Amino acid sequence: MSELISSKEAKLAWANGEVVQWRQSFKKWNDLEPSNVLGLFDCNEMEFRLKPRTITINGIEVPAPFEPKEGDKTYYLNDGMTDGYRESEHLEHFEYHFGAWRTENEIRQVVAALRQIFE
């Protein structure tokens, strides 16, 4: 599940070209369309999030990796670990060979999809 963002963060993200989604009363997430955007930001009943980015591994949709900044907490694939991943704080010159994910839940989905390939 994606993290909620404030209406102010949503407005800024949308202005910067990000795909923002909204919902009301825990209903279905909707992409923010240019025709209905301004009124939604002012409604206290709305929730916002950045639209989750995904990739497909072996026919399974999983969260896409992200580009971490210095000091970001990351999770990355590591076949030396029993669970298939490691947690780390991003260092400027560290290279992720297969990407980095923001949360442990995201990397677990990726590991599970990859393991299905070899079953």
Side-chain angles (χ1 to χ4, degrees), residues 1-114:
M1 181 165 146
S2 297
E3 293 182 30
L4 298 179
I5 58 175
S6 70
S7 62
K8 183 178 180 181
E9 292 168 318
K11 190 184 297 186
L12 181 60
W14 180 77
N16 287 325
E18 297 267 2
V19 179
V20 175
Q21 293 185 314
W22 64 274
R23 72 177 178 186
Q24 185 176 14
S25 304
F26 299 101
K27 294 181 181 174
K28 178 179 152 287
W29 285 104
N30 302 285
D31 289 353
L32 204 52
E33 300 292 334
S35 61
N36 65 1
V37 69
L38 294 177
L40 290 176
F41 290 128
D42 295 330
C43 184
N44 292 334
E45 298 171 5
M46 297 298 174
E47 292 182 322
F48 298 95
R49 71 176 184 181
L50 296 178
K51 185 174 185 173
R53 295 185 179 117
T54 61
I55 58 174
T56 302
I57 299 175
N58 196 34
I60 301 169
E61 196 170 296
V62 297
F66 81 114
E67 289 294 327
K69 295 183 179 106
E70 179 84 21
D72 284 350
K73 184 177 184 177
T74 63
Y75 295 86
Y76 62 95
L77 296 169
N78 185 305
D79 65 350
M81 304 298 288
T82 306
D83 51 13
Y85 64 91
R86 286 191 81 131
E87 176 186 336
S88 179
E89 182 177 306
H90 179 65
L91 302 174
E92 184 178 336
H93 299 291
F94 187 80
E95 183 179 338
Y96 301 96
H97 297 286
F98 303 105
W101 285 264
R102 288 182 175 88
T103 67
E104 190 168 15
N105 182 46
E106 289 179 349
I107 192 69
R108 284 182 178 180
Q109 292 175 56
V110 173
V111 169
L114 289 169

